[in-house]
């Protein structure tokens, strides 16, 4: 047995962690000084740490534990599959039952004619697959010059070199020579931060038309695809104005380019529909899935592909694939997760009960003097922190300074609520009941009160300009 157990003292675990474990998106030297919080177990919507603290997980892990923690059925599905067939690949004219069954299930669940799936281990890999799929598609269509992919600033599509290039995060592009060639970015539909004096609807149209202008600038014969999240998640739960997606859909219908919808966060019930694509009435050619597909119990993702694209791609060998494409244990876990989602009507629960109740409480937070706007779709929500409710201006301090101070209060109050810059975001397990949402609200309110006081005390309650 491994000697590292939950029973070691926290400080010892933290020291070992600091010595050997490089954390994602972390200044490890800084973390080593504080020590990471050690999560030891979880049940339902609650995490337990090595000090025995009970923490409400309003982020569902990293936007993924949609059915909540501690579902034995998933553990049992994994154990059964490990005993039966722990691994086999799907290369070289082979297949196995979990991959077959999951592909069949996904084809049934996915909207429109997205009847095919190329498996990956997560969202980044799946989006790398998408880069190759769209370029290969146009090669096979006899238009090899159609290689440019249009994405958006502040989009998040993963952290591999390909997927981070698709993403529009400056911080990532600055490290490691990204974006790779032939990926370009247009503006995001963030009215609160960037809409100025325009109405949200006019601003939504304007940002959508940047796609049309970019296609014209590059020439339609050079553009392969447009990729976007229905609602930007890691970018701060940016909910586009109502005018945005209909205008994007019009442009995509008029132009000969592919639409890739990244549903890594918005998929599997997060919006109160199975997919954000249905929420917004989109017609993607490719859809990225991961996270909620297995509720995070096993690493699995994929690209759902339309009949039209799959037919073209399938005509010749597509020289692409991962050792773990369609991994049988991950596939078995995902299948069991989807079975539970359906049996327990979790998507309906989000649409009809938990989502509306969370929205009611979330918008109440909008009355707080520290809150400039509240946004929510299904069970993904954000609020903008502000020093002046009337102004829609950023803080004078560098972006994220104030947000981090509020997140620290959330941590202290045993609430996992993230900050993205100076926006606070939640994406709770979809199985939250009203009592859990009440607790989320109470802790969020207390954290806002305390954060507001701390920011004032530090002299940071000031708008820029
Ligand atoms: N697309 C979207 C829309 C995502 O949100 C990915 C792709 C990449 O998936 P993988 O499985 O490769 O991580 C994501 C992931 C954050 C955070 O800080 C968000 C994600 C991952 C890690 C952290 O909000 N989203």
């Amino acid at each position: 047995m491994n000697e590292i157990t939950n029973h070691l003292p926290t400080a010892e675990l933290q020291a070992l962690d600091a010595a050997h474990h490089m954390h994602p998106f972390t200044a490890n030297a800084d973390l080593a000084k504080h020590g990471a919080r050690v999560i030891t177990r979880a049940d339902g919507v609650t995490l337990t740490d090595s000090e025995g603290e009970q923490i409400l997980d309003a982020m569902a892990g990293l936007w993924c534990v949609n059915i909540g923690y501690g579902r034995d059925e998933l553990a049992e599905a994994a154990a059964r599959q490990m005993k039966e067939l722990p691994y086999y690949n799907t290369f070289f004219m082979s297949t196995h039952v979990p991959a077959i069954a999951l592909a069949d299930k996904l084809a049934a669940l996915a909207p429109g004619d997205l009847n095919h799936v190329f498996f990956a281990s997560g969202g980044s890999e799946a989006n790398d697959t998408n880069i190759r799929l769209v370029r290969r598609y146009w090669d096979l269509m006899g238009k090899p010059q159609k290689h440019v992919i249009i994405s958006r600033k502040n989009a998040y599509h993963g952290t591999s070199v390909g997927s981070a290039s698709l993403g529009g995060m400056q911080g990532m592009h600055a490290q490691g020579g990204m974006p790779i060639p032939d990926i370009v970015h247009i503006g995001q539909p963030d009215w609160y931060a960037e809409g100025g004096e325009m109405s949200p609807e006019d601003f939504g149209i304007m940002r959508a038309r940047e796609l049309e202008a970019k296609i014209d600038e590059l020439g339609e014969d050079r553009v392969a695809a447009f990729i976007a999240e229905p609602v930007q998640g890691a970018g701060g739960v940016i909910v586009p104005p109502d005018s945005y997606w209909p205008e994007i859909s019009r442009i995509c219908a008029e132009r000969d380019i592919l639409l890739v919808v990244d549903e890594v966060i918005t998929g599997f019930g997060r919006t109160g529909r199975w997919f954000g694509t249905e929420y917004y009435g989109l017609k993607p050619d490719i859809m990225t899935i991961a996270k909620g597909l297995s509720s995070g119990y096993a690493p699995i993702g994929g690209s759902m592909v339309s009949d039209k694209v799959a037919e073209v791609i399938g005509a010749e060998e597509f020289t692409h694939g991962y050792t773990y494409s369609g991994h049988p244990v991950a596939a078995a876990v995902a299948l069991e997760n989807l079975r539970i989602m359906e049996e327990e009507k979790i998507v309906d629960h989000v649409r009809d009960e938990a989502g509306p109740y969370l929205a009611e409480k979330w918008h109440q937070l909008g009355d707080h003097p520290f809150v400039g706007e509240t946004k929510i779709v299904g069970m993904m929500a954000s609020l903008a922190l502000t020093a002046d409710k009337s102004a829609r201006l950023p803080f004078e301090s560098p972006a994220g300074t104030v947000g981090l101070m509020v997140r620290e209060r959330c941590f202290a109050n045993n609430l996992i609520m993230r900050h993205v810059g100076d926006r606070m975001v939640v994406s709770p397990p979809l199985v939250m009941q009203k009592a859990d949402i009440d607790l989320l609200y109470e802790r969020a309110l207390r954290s806002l009160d305390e954060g507001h006081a701390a920011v004032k005390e530090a002299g940071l309650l000031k708008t820029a300009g």
Side-chain angles (χ1 to χ4, degrees), residues 62-63 122-124 127 156-158 229 234 262 264-265 291 418:
L62 267 182
W63 326 74
S124 301
N127 278 326
Y156 192 101
H157 297 298
E229 304 150 85
D262 185 338
V264 167
I265 286 177
K291 293 190 190 276
R418 283 270 318 276

Side-chain angles (χ1 to χ4, degrees), residues 263-287:
E263 295 257 16
V264 167
I265 286 177
T266 49
F268 304 101
R270 179 63 51 201
T271 66
R273 305 290 185 279
W274 272 95
F275 298 96
T277 288
E278 293 155 320
Y279 186 91
Y280 285 113
L282 311 179
K283 291 197 176 61
D285 298 286
I286 296 176
M287 188 172 87

Side-chain angles (χ1 to χ4, degrees), residues 75-88:
E76 281 150 18
R80 265 197 315 273
Q81 188 57 46
M82 279 210 184
K83 289 180 194 172
E84 185 90 11
L85 179 72
Y87 177 75
Y88 202 70

Side-chain angles (χ1 to χ4, degrees), residues 171-221:
M172 277 196 252
H173 291 174
Q175 297 181 7
M178 292 177 278
I180 57 173
D182 286 347
I183 294 180
V184 300
H185 300 83
I186 58 174
Q188 60 170 335
D190 181 355
W191 174 79
Y192 183 83
E194 301 175 7
E197 297 300 308
M198 293 179 88
S199 72
E201 298 319 304
D202 288 350
F203 177 73
I205 298 277
M206 186 195 84
R207 278 290 146 95
R209 288 191 184 155
E210 285 187 26
L211 174 62
E212 200 164 39
K214 186 57 84 178
I215 296 169
D216 286 340
E217 177 196 321
L218 294 162
E220 191 173 317
D221 58 347

